[in-house]
Amino acid sequence: MRVHVVSDVHGNSEDLEKAGDGADALICLGDLILFLDYADHSRGIFPDLFGVENAHRIVELRTARRFEEAREFGNRLWAGLDRDAAIESAVRRQYAELFAAFPTPTYATYGNVDMPALWPEYARPGTTVLDGERVDIGGLVFGFVGGGLRTPMRTPFEIDDETYAAKLAALGEVDVLCTHIPPDVPDLCYDTVARRFERGSAALLEAIHTVRPKYALFGHVHQPLARRMRIGATECVNVGHFASSGTPWALEW
């Protein structure tokens, strides 16, 4: 049995179409939407609406962790526009293309930059969306928890720690734990290019110690200090920033 795993797709539908080649199934750990590409400020919903120079500026402010200034700058740009309608229209265009690229079967959960309310409209037969749920794939039990925890970035699907922990607890015993964010371990949470710690989950780390799955798979941190780490009986793997690599991570058994 061979499963390919991707995360942080961020608009890369071209490589997503090929991500399941040679595999029995594809797993996607979220962040389908490309709102703003920090490596190429000309790509994404934000520069499409406001131009590259404004994209440069907001990246500069966020990178410097001047989140309040970034928020005020963004609010000035949005003044007089229907923010929700503009974003939803752009996201719908991306989702139509991305969900069409999923092979059959695909098992997917949300990232912190996704809009879960729209997924039922675009998930076709052959794509199973899971959040706080388990599924048997080739005799192994996979558990899925989507979304991210609350941060100053205020991305679309951030939830409180208690809700996240409850979804983890609902999984019970699993062989493979699939989440968008990593466990709260510094080496797994630090982004070496953005030069900041992303939020990991303490409840996820506790679940790894308690449940002892064979694997814990996640994304979210695009350039992590450590891509793999063993925690007790569990191999923890950042499956990679698919938007830039275009290459899935493979799990075989």
Side-chain angles (χ1 to χ4, degrees):
M1 189 77 180
R2 180 182 176 95
V3 169
H4 287 176
V5 190
V6 301
S7 185
D8 300 272
V9 176
H10 293 301
N12 188 353
S13 58
E14 182 178 352
D15 287 320
L16 190 60
E17 288 182 339
K18 302 173 286 187
D21 290 355
D24 298 290
L26 178 72
I27 289 173
C28 178
L29 302 183
D31 272 10
L32 298 182
I33 297 170
L34 178 60
F35 188 76
L36 176 57
D37 189 331
Y38 277 59
D40 180 353
H41 302 167
S42 68
R43 299 180 63 245
I45 295 170
F46 188 92
D48 285 350
L49 289 169
F50 301 117
V52 176
E53 290 305 315
N54 286 323
H56 286 331
R57 179 58 178 161
I58 204 159
V59 168
E60 179 182 49
L61 291 171
R62 288 178 176 177
T63 302
R65 304 185 66 79
R66 294 156 60 184
F67 296 117
E68 194 58 42
E69 288 180 65
R71 194 168 297 116
E72 291 173 359
F73 177 69
N75 288 340
R76 290 196 297 273
L77 294 175
W78 284 107
L81 298 176
D82 187 334
R83 182 194 302 233
D84 292 342
I87 290 176
E88 181 174 322
S89 176
V91 168
R92 284 182 176 279
R93 289 193 296 272
Q94 291 190 16
Y95 275 166
E97 187 174 340
L98 290 158
F99 276 91
F102 278 142
T104 298
T106 291
Y107 302 91
T109 196
Y110 318 112
N112 62 296
V113 185
D114 283 310
M115 298 176 68
L118 299 182
W119 281 37
E121 297 183 44
Y122 296 96
R124 303 179 304 173
T127 297
T128 303
V129 180
L130 301 131
D131 186 19
E133 300 163 284
R134 305 162 13 135
V135 65
D136 185 294
I137 305 175
L140 294 183
V141 177
F142 288 70
F144 291 78
V145 173
L149 298 176
R150 300 205 186 280
T151 71
M153 300 289 281
R154 299 185 184 179
T155 50
F157 192 46
E158 294 181 351
I159 58 178
D160 59 74
D161 291 55
E162 294 75 19
T163 301
Y164 194 88
K167 291 197 292 185
L168 280 167
L171 296 178
E173 299 292 322
V174 297
D175 299 303
V176 184
L177 188 48
C178 298
T179 59
H180 177 67
I181 62 174
D184 188 16
V185 176
D187 284 3
L188 298 176
C189 293
Y190 187 73
D191 190 306
T192 59
V193 174
R195 292 179 294 176
R196 66 169 181 258
F197 288 97
E198 302 289 354
R199 274 211 73 186
S201 168
L204 175 55
L205 180 59
E206 182 179 350
I208 290 169
H209 283 298
T210 303
V211 177
R212 296 167 61 85
K214 292 181 175 66
Y215 291 92
L217 309 180
F218 49 87
H220 187 55
V221 184
H222 293 176
Q223 296 89 197
L225 188 62
R227 293 199 174 274
R228 300 179 73 122
M229 177 181 293
R230 194 156 191 88
I231 299 176
T234 304
E235 187 72 15
C236 299
V237 183
N238 183 319
V239 299
H241 181 209
F242 186 77
S244 62
S245 73
T247 303
W249 184 81
L251 176 62
E252 293 187 86
W253 68 97

